[in-house]
Every structure is written in C-alpha cells, then in structure tokens.
Amino acid sequence: MPATPHASSRRDEPLIRDRGDACPGALRLHRADDGFLARLRLPGGRLTGRQVELLADAAERLGDGGISITSRGNAELRGLRDGCGGELAALLEEGGLLPSPTHERVRNIVASPAAGLDGLGCADVQLWVRELDALLCGEPWAAGLSGRFLFVLDDGRGDVAGLGGDVTLVAADDPHADDDGRGAGPHALVRLGPQAFRVAAADAPRAALAAAGAFLRAAEEAGNGAWRVRELPGGHIPDLAGALARAGITADPMTEAAAHPVADARTPHRDPRGTRPHGTGPHGTGPHAGPLVPGPLVPGPLGGGAATVADAVSAAGAGTGASSSDSDTGADTGTDSSTTAGTGAVYVLAPLGRLTAVQLRALLPADEVRLTPWRGVVVRTDPARLPELAACGLVTRPDAPGAGVTACTGRPGCAKSLADVRAEAARAPAGRLPVHFSGCERRCGHPHGTWVDVLATGDGDYLVDGAPTPRTSLPEAVATARTTTR
C-alpha cells in the first residue's frame, strides 16, 4: 500500500511564518461551521472526578453535549454558542483547569497514560507532568511558545516517545554504571531535535523547560517565526548544552543510538525491565510503517496480559476472547478475575474519539481519569465496572468494530471537509490496523505510526491508502486494508 503524504514544509524551502499560530484554546475560541470550538490543554490528559463532571456540565450547558479527545490527549468542546467565552472561562477556572490565562495554550504535555498504574516503565512520569506544568506556567517567557509546541514524557516503555514531540523526556533506569562511573540508577534522556543528553531523573522537568527556552532563543535568532523545532532553518541549532548548564543541570551528551532507545517504528521494543514488548512509530510515517496498534494500551483492564492491540485482536479471533457476535456492543469484556485483580484501572476507547456528557459521567466514580493520545481514557476504577462502561457505548474490547477507528470533524462541522466522514467511519468494520477517515487532504487528527488512510475525494468516493474506492465498496476495502500488513 502506498505511504500517505503528510502535511509538512518542504525541506528544501525555507519556512517563514509572518504571524502567530491561530491554534484555539480555552480563551481563544475558533469559529467553526457547527459553532465555536474551545480546546482545553490537559497536561498528561489528567482530570479529577470533579473536573470530569465540570466538563460534562459545560458540554451540555454551552456546547453540543459532548467532548472530543485530540491526538495529544486534550479535550475539545464544540458547538459552543456565541458569547459564552466568559462563562466557559469562569467554569474552567473554578475547576482548576485554567491555572494561567497567559499560558493556557502552551500546556501541551503528552505522557505515558498508564504510568504508575500497571507496574511497567521506569518512572511515574505523571509526577514529571505536574512539575513541568507548574514550571511552564511560572515562567513569563514560556508564554511565547506556540500553541503547537509539544512536550512528550515517556516512562521508558516507548508508548509515546515517537509521537513527534519537540522536547521529549524518556525515563530510564540502568542497573550498571558506564566506564566513567555514571548512569547507574534512574535518569532521563532529554531530546531536542537531533540532540540528546542524559540527566538525573530529579532534573528531568527542569531540563525539559530549559530545552524549550533553547528553542525559543534559536527561533528568535532565525527570525522565521518557527512554531516547532523542525521548522528551524538549517544552521540554527538550539544550544541545548548551554541551556542545561545555565539551569545548573548536570548533563551528559548521548550518542544517536543511545538517544533513541524506543524510536524505531519497525521493531517491537521491550519494557526497560523486560516485561513485555512495545512498539512506537514516528509522526507522519504513513500507513503500515509502524506498530500494529492504535495505541500501546489495550482496551480492558490495565495489566490484562496482551502486549498490543494486534495481539489482543488475534487472540480474540482465535477464540480466547469474547465471541465476535458480542463485539458490536462490547458487552462481554472477555476478562476474568485472574487478570484484573489488583490493577485498579481500566482503559476504554471513545467511539470516534467523542464522549457524550452521559459517557463522561459514566466514568465516575473514579479516583482519576487520563485522556490518551489514542482517543481513549484510562480510568482509575474497579475493573469489574467494564460491563457497565460497555453498556454506555464505550469500547472496552480490542476486537470491537470501533476500536482503532478515528475521523476528523467532517461535514457539517468543518467547512473544508468534502464529506460526512464520521458517518462512514461509524460503519467501519473491525480489524487489526487503526483507520482514520479524513474529509480533506489536511488529514486533521490522524494517528501516528501504523494506520489505514481513508480520504474523501469530493465526488462521493474515497481513496483507501491511495487506491480509488467507490463509496459503495468502502466497507470491503477498509476491511481488507485493516487486515493487511507488509
């Protein structure tokens, strides 16, 4: 299957931006065809139970009755009525979702969603998230970052390291020191473009902030208005070493191989403690170039045993999971007490990345909720509640048709869309590979790594991984593409 082209500046042409980014936020609303849109930055995707209830109320009172989960684990409210911005801001501030009005669009922090919950990884990077968020909001200069600048914090399992972060932290825990006597114990790799340094785990959040500062200085010197690291012109390399030194952080430069321990999308990787394989894929590699998963987390109880969604789907097809006749509703979760005991958390997917207010409230009671970059939700709750969540329309099994299916807003909400792609996506057949339905060539919200590309053409038909496909043949073509690997 042909690789999907992705939107990026040509490397042989200098990129010059003559304006700030227009990325929507909680205070800067975007006018869409279905009303106004607000994007709420949720560092690490984290919400308290009270905040979940608040979002459900806001969606019902001010919007279209639901929220969308973005590919960065943020939340969007759509269909907002004209003039509701002040009321929305007051609600968010009251719920602790607007800690800094001047910095609200720069709090883009993706983190391993299951960190600290399933016994995998090398560090609970959710703790790093909170510290980094506080550091960002406390620095006036950090408000100068673009609303598209991204921090990625990986706990060492490799689930989010390949999601295209501008600044990436990867936790590690080496049992042995190197020849110089350094490196033993917990530490972090901090990456900024091609540069990487090893720092003490305790310094990781400050190192990420220093890296962002190095980027801003390089962007100012370049004078091209770069929003992201990859947009810096040649010859303008951020001084990461100098930034770390000025912050008082001891850092050791890393080799290219050591700096990307989980960056190869084509081979599975093991958890640093050797417990199970994981894969990760770089941004924009197109269909069938990365891991065979919509996200490394498998719908169901955390720690349920399957290494990837592809593994779980294969197991279900072999008869070890619930029968396919139940997969439309997900009512039979296919779990037993031997795999769920003691985990205290579950992972569910939002149908087409959308949660109604009813579904949001169905997540409660929960100690904590974390939205994920794969448009799902980690819920700290009793796994015995999975059938209850399935009954509310949430995807609780990897072999359900809605698993791994995403779509852009499409018609009628987006003026640029050529079709009601969400209606087509709702009929997508089940399969191993993720599939994304796009209403135009921008392919907004497409997943990372491996995915099947379904693109509306404007004449009523589609391209499936580049192959012209009549709308009447779309289900069969998508079914074939989702079960094909190379």
Side-chain angles (χ1 to χ4, degrees), residues 5-72:
H6 58 93
S8 65
S9 60
R10 290 181 54 183
R11 294 295 181 181
D12 57 347
E13 295 182 0
L15 182 147
I16 299 177
R17 297 195 184 277
D18 56 4
R19 61 174 177 83
D21 77 273
C23 222
L27 301 179
R28 178 193 288 180
L29 306 188
H30 169 73
R31 183 188 292 273
D33 277 13
D34 59 349
F36 285 87
L37 176 153
R39 184 172 298 155
L40 316 180
R41 268 63 174 192
L42 306 174
R46 182 177 179 271
L47 290 166
T48 65
R50 177 170 175 264
Q51 290 168 339
V52 170
E53 182 64 47
L54 181 148
L55 285 185
D57 288 345
E60 288 180 329
R61 288 168 49 191
L62 307 177
D64 64 3
I67 70 164
S68 298
I69 303 176
T70 75
S71 59
R72 293 183 170 189

Side-chain angles (χ1 to χ4, degrees), residues 397-450:
R397 286 217 329 262
D399 59 333
V405 181
T406 56
C408 69
T409 297
R411 287 182 178 173
C414 178
K416 293 183 173 64
S417 181
L418 301 176
D420 183 1
V421 292
R422 297 183 72 82
E424 299 295 342
R427 294 189 285 269
R432 300 176 73 238
L433 298 175
V435 56
H436 185 72
F437 289 71
S438 303
C440 75
E441 292 187 352
R442 295 187 306 163
R443 295 175 171 85
C444 292
H446 73 74
H448 297 260
T450 306

Side-chain angles (χ1 to χ4, degrees), residues 260-286:
H260 296 81
V262 290
D264 187 349
R266 292 167 178 78
T267 56
H269 296 278
R270 291 204 165 271
D271 175 85
R273 295 183 299 194
T275 51
R276 72 179 189 182
H278 289 274
T280 184
H283 173 56
T285 52

Side-chain angles (χ1 to χ4, degrees), residues 55-216:
L55 285 185
D57 288 345
E60 288 180 329
R61 288 168 49 191
L62 307 177
D64 64 3
I67 70 164
S68 298
I69 303 176
T70 75
S71 59
R72 293 183 170 189
N74 292 320
E76 286 184 351
L77 291 166
R78 297 192 66 96
L80 296 169
R81 66 172 186 268
D82 194 2
C84 75
E87 185 178 355
L88 175 62
L91 281 173
L92 298 177
E93 186 172 8
E94 177 188 352
L97 292 171
L98 197 60
S100 172
T102 56
H103 292 67
E104 60 100 1
R105 293 190 316 119
V106 306
R107 302 168 66 227
N108 291 302
I109 307 175
V110 170
S112 297
L117 299 178
D118 62 358
L120 300 179
C122 297
D124 184 354
V125 293
Q126 290 286 332
L127 300 177
W128 291 358
V129 168
R130 298 175 203 181
E131 183 176 348
L132 175 57
D133 186 32
L135 290 170
L136 275 173
C137 292
E139 288 288 355
W141 60 260
L145 291 169
S146 161
R148 304 181 188 223
F149 194 87
L150 177 63
F151 295 89
V152 170
L153 281 54
D154 192 296
D155 69 359
R157 75 182 71 203
D159 58 344
V160 297
L163 296 188
D166 294 285
V167 175
T168 300
L169 294 178
V170 181
D173 190 358
D174 294 341
H176 305 293
D178 59 22
D179 293 339
D180 295 325
R182 296 172 298 186
H187 61 273
L189 304 179
V190 53
R191 298 204 307 252
L192 179 69
Q195 305 174 80
F197 287 80
R198 180 174 61 194
V199 301
D203 291 331
R206 291 196 302 122
L209 183 72
F215 161 75
L216 280 180

